[in-house]
Amino acid sequence: MSRERTRLIRTKRTWRGIAGAVTAIVLVGGGFAVANASTDTGTGKAAAGVKRPVDKKATGAAAVVSAANEFLNTLDADQQASTLLDFSQANATAWSNLPCGSSCRPGIQLGSLTDTQLAAAMKVVKLATGTGKNTGYDQITQIIKADDVLNSAQSTSSAGPAPSSTASADPSATAAPSSSATDAPTDVPTGTPPSGGTGGGGMGGYGSGVYFLAFLGTPSVTGTWQLHFGGHHLALNLTYKKGKVAGSSPYFVGVEPSTWTDTDGTTYAPLDTMRNGLLALTGSLSTEQLATAKLSESFSDVLLGPGQDGQFPETKEGIKVSTLSPKQKQLVLKAIHPWIANVDDATAKQLMKTYEHELNQTYVAYSGTTALATQGDYVRIDGPGVWVEFVCQNGVVYRDQIHYHTVYRDHTRDYGSEFTFS
């Protein structure tokens, strides 16, 4: 069997496994059904891994810890070693928006797991993330689905290969001004490679099998650890301290195609909730307010993508929210919420209270046009804590569509405030 055919079969099996291996894992907003039976065959496990306590009655962060232990209990010793890694700065910051597999991110690869293991892994992600439509777990699973669509299209199209992780790592490539309508995304992974394991195979390219899950530090309700999950167009970093979420950022999501219709007739547009909130906000601004909010720079990607930790601009730019009307201030909060909703609902609610308290010291800015429909259209929300960017790029495989990148960070809470960046 050819390597390409093997990869495609693994990709299809991976997403089918997420869909059907465990009862009660239901995608919010539609997407996949569930079944009771595992379809594991020939697992051929090595030495059994350490067995960890599971409390099926746990709630909140304790439920996430229990689910993490339940997943670890499905793994053999080698798999556990690939999943349980040090909570080091090198590991925590090793995420990317590229389809670069294990070369740019730590953890165990979804494509290497059995259906039972896969369902247990996704249960952890589901319990740790929000329940809203097109946010949280729903958005994450749609981003993964989009990668299967992209994989299928890229393998049959005449477009160029997937972006290479060996491209130039010059930070200016991700934020350089751009006026060309044909610019392709220039995002590349930077920073120190992860010190942990490489997961299950390290194959590159697109597809739901090329996502990685790691626990940085030991999951517990007393210590500090991070749920680190991602792949192409997705980076989820949730940091826990003493049984509470201390940081739900950085959170990177992107999508290509921006919208598509599945074979069952379901239409997906996983970033439209984010985009629509920004459109409502910028659409409320007067001509004078738009002039104040306009940035002099142009952008081909987000500023604070992978490898750009701590690189917040020294001076805030745009229009200060304190100058906006009460209705416009509410639109700012509504625009922020879809990014914050990546984390569990209770934590998101507390974060939104913090960002509301800081609202008058927050700024809104844009570049290109406010339509968010063409290359270089860019919107930013920058507060004492919250940082949100959304940018439009031309498609790489779907060249007739716009390709979205967006990132949520927090000036003080990234990685649970565990690291200092100069």
Side-chain angles (χ1 to χ4, degrees):
M1 182 180 294
S2 71
R3 181 177 300 177
E4 174 65 13
R5 178 170 174 77
T6 299
R7 182 174 67 84
L8 290 173
I9 289 174
R10 282 186 176 182
T11 294
K12 291 178 180 178
R13 186 201 63 81
T14 296
W15 198 244
R16 186 179 67 248
I18 294 174
V22 156
T23 299
I25 304 294
V26 179
L27 176 62
V28 178
F32 50 78
V34 295
N36 288 309
S38 167
T39 57
D40 295 355
T41 56
T43 56
K45 283 191 174 182
V50 174
K51 293 299 178 183
R52 301 172 186 275
V54 173
D55 179 3
K56 295 188 179 295
K57 295 183 180 180
T59 59
V64 178
V65 171
S66 180
N69 286 341
E70 188 175 8
F71 169 61
L72 289 168
N73 288 344
T74 70
L75 306 180
D76 63 37
D78 289 341
Q79 290 174 315
Q80 286 189 5
S82 291
T83 307
L84 275 171
L85 307 172
D86 292 338
F87 188 17
S88 64
Q89 184 167 324
N91 281 334
T93 60
W95 55 272
S96 178
N97 55 279
L98 284 173
C100 46
S102 61
S103 67
C104 61
R105 51 182 65 90
I108 192 164
Q109 186 171 335
L110 296 192
S112 73
L113 302 177
T114 68
D115 289 347
T116 295
Q117 292 170 334
L118 185 59
M122 294 307 294
K123 180 180 178 180
V124 181
V125 177
K126 183 176 190 291
L127 287 174
T129 53
T131 63
K133 184 177 181 179
N134 289 334
T135 62
Y137 186 70
D138 186 25
Q139 183 178 72
I140 287 167
T141 53
Q142 288 188 56
I143 296 300
I144 298 173
K145 281 178 176 286
D147 227 38
D148 279 338
V149 175
L150 196 61
N151 177 52
S152 177
Q154 201 263 343
S155 66
T156 58
S157 75
S158 59
S164 170
S165 60
T166 60
S168 168
D170 179 0
S172 65
T174 64
S178 172
S179 60
S180 170
T182 59
D183 282 348
T186 55
D187 45 316
V188 297
T190 59
T192 306
S195 59
T198 58
M203 59 185 178
Y206 306 120
S208 59
V210 199
Y211 284 72
F212 294 77
L213 174 64
F215 304 138
L216 308 184
T218 302
S220 76
V221 294
T222 57
T224 300
W225 65 285
Q226 184 189 95
L227 170 58
H228 189 98
F229 178 69
H232 176 233
H233 275 164
L234 177 65
L236 176 71
N237 299 282
L238 302 179
T239 305
Y240 295 84
K241 290 183 183 180
K242 297 180 180 180
K244 296 182 179 180
V245 178
S248 59
S249 57
Y251 179 56
F252 182 100
V253 282
V255 69
E256 183 179 346
S258 58
T259 183
W260 74 96
T261 301
D262 210 345
T263 54
D264 65 359
T266 303
T267 297
Y268 297 95
L271 267 58
D272 269 15
T273 298
M274 292 174 165
R275 178 176 179 268
N276 291 342
L278 294 174
L279 289 174
L281 169 58
T282 57
S284 77
L285 301 179
S286 68
T287 301
E288 182 179 357
Q289 289 172 327
L290 285 170
T292 303
K294 182 79 171 181
L295 295 167
S296 60
E297 310 99 319
S298 58
F299 300 87
S300 61
D301 205 346
V302 296
L303 278 177
L304 298 186
Q308 301 302 308
D309 299 295
Q311 302 304 304
F312 299 96
E314 293 183 5
T315 303
K316 295 188 186 302
E317 299 179 273
I319 187 167
K320 197 171 184 180
V321 175
S322 62
T323 69
L324 302 182
S325 70
K327 182 178 179 180
Q328 289 173 318
K329 290 179 181 181
Q330 288 303 307
L331 289 174
V332 176
L333 288 173
K334 289 180 180 179
I336 292 171
H337 182 261
W339 281 266
I340 315 312
N342 80 85
V343 71
D344 70 271
D345 298 346
T347 301
K349 185 177 180 179
Q350 291 300 314
L351 274 171
M352 287 303 300
K353 288 181 178 179
T354 297
Y355 295 150
E356 183 174 11
H357 179 72
E358 299 172 344
L359 193 61
N360 283 337
Q361 303 305 313
T362 300
Y363 288 73
V364 175
Y366 77 98
S367 182
T369 79
T370 59
L372 294 178
T374 58
Q375 168 81 18
D377 286 355
Y378 170 92
V379 176
R380 175 196 305 170
I381 300 175
D382 181 13
V386 69
W387 171 278
V388 165
E389 295 178 87
F390 189 103
V391 69
C392 296
Q393 303 175 331
N394 289 327
V396 175
V397 175
Y398 285 87
R399 294 180 177 176
D400 60 339
Q401 285 198 29
I402 289 297
H403 171 129
Y404 302 136
H405 278 187
T406 182
V407 68
Y408 156 57
R409 286 184 179 266
D410 188 291
H411 285 262
T412 62
R413 297 174 183 84
D414 276 5
Y415 309 107
S417 311
E418 284 293 299
F419 311 114
T420 299
F421 304 101
S422 58

